[in-house]
């Protein structure tokens, strides 16, 4: 797995990258009450806002960590946004993206580097 400074995790799965938020981010958000997912087949550039999350504390955006095409979204989150709090590193993934350049993952943080980033 790789991690971003914006508290996203990325897990390669075949030729796709699964994207979600870390446990740290889910804890900071508080109870998630709404998740707006991107449209499938959307082309995104790195840094584009792709997911909107609303919690009892605030609204937040998830940005595309890499350039590519959204090929699948986790419909379970629309029906049960609380999954983000229950299992942020597993069942609560947001979308799967097909990237042109998988070497872009190399620039992201390892788990140890991410733990240093959040002060764990």
């Amino acid at each position: 797995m790789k991690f971003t400074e914006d508290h996203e995790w990325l897990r390669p799965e075949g030729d796709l990258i699964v994207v979600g938020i870390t446990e740290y981010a889910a804890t900071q958000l508080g109870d998630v009450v709404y998740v707006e997912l991107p449209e499938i087949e959307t082309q995104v550039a790195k840094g584009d806002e792709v997911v909107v999350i609303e919690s009892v504390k605030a609204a937040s955006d998830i940005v595309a960590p890499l350039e590519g095409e959204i090929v699948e979204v986790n419909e379970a989150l629309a029906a049960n946004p609380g999954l983000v709090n229950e299992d942020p590193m597993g069942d609560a993934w947001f979308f799967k993206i097909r990237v042109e350049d998988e070497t872009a993952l190399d620039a992201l943080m390892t788990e140890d580097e991410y733990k240093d980033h959040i002060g764990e």
Side-chain angles (χ1 to χ4, degrees), residues 25-106:
T27 301
Q28 296 299 308
L29 280 170
D31 292 335
V32 175
V33 295
Y34 175 77
V35 175
E36 181 181 317
L37 298 166
E39 294 290 322
I40 293 174
E41 298 183 351
T42 301
Q43 293 289 331
V44 295
K46 181 178 179 179
D48 284 356
E49 294 174 358
V50 290
V51 175
V52 176
I53 301 174
E54 292 181 11
S55 72
V56 293
K57 290 183 180 180
S60 189
D61 294 316
I62 303 298
V63 299
L66 302 169
E67 183 174 336
E69 177 186 4
I70 305 292
V71 295
E72 189 177 338
V73 296
N74 188 350
E75 297 290 350
L77 292 181
N80 182 9
L83 272 176
V84 173
N85 301 110
E86 295 166 22
D87 191 13
M89 300 290 288
D91 288 341
W93 57 274
F94 289 100
F95 58 90
K96 295 182 182 180
I97 186 171
R98 179 173 289 118
V99 295
E100 297 283 323
D101 181 14
E102 288 188 31
T103 63
L105 281 172
D106 297 340

Side-chain angles (χ1 to χ4, degrees), residues 3-42:
F3 298 84
T4 70
E5 290 183 3
D6 295 324
H7 311 290
E8 297 164 337
W9 56 261
L10 292 84
R11 181 179 67 231
E13 189 175 272
D15 66 339
L16 304 177
I17 307 293
V18 183
V19 180
I21 62 170
T22 65
E23 200 166 313
Y24 176 85
T27 301
Q28 296 299 308
L29 280 170
D31 292 335
V32 175
V33 295
Y34 175 77
V35 175
E36 181 181 317
L37 298 166
E39 294 290 322
I40 293 174
E41 298 183 351
T42 301

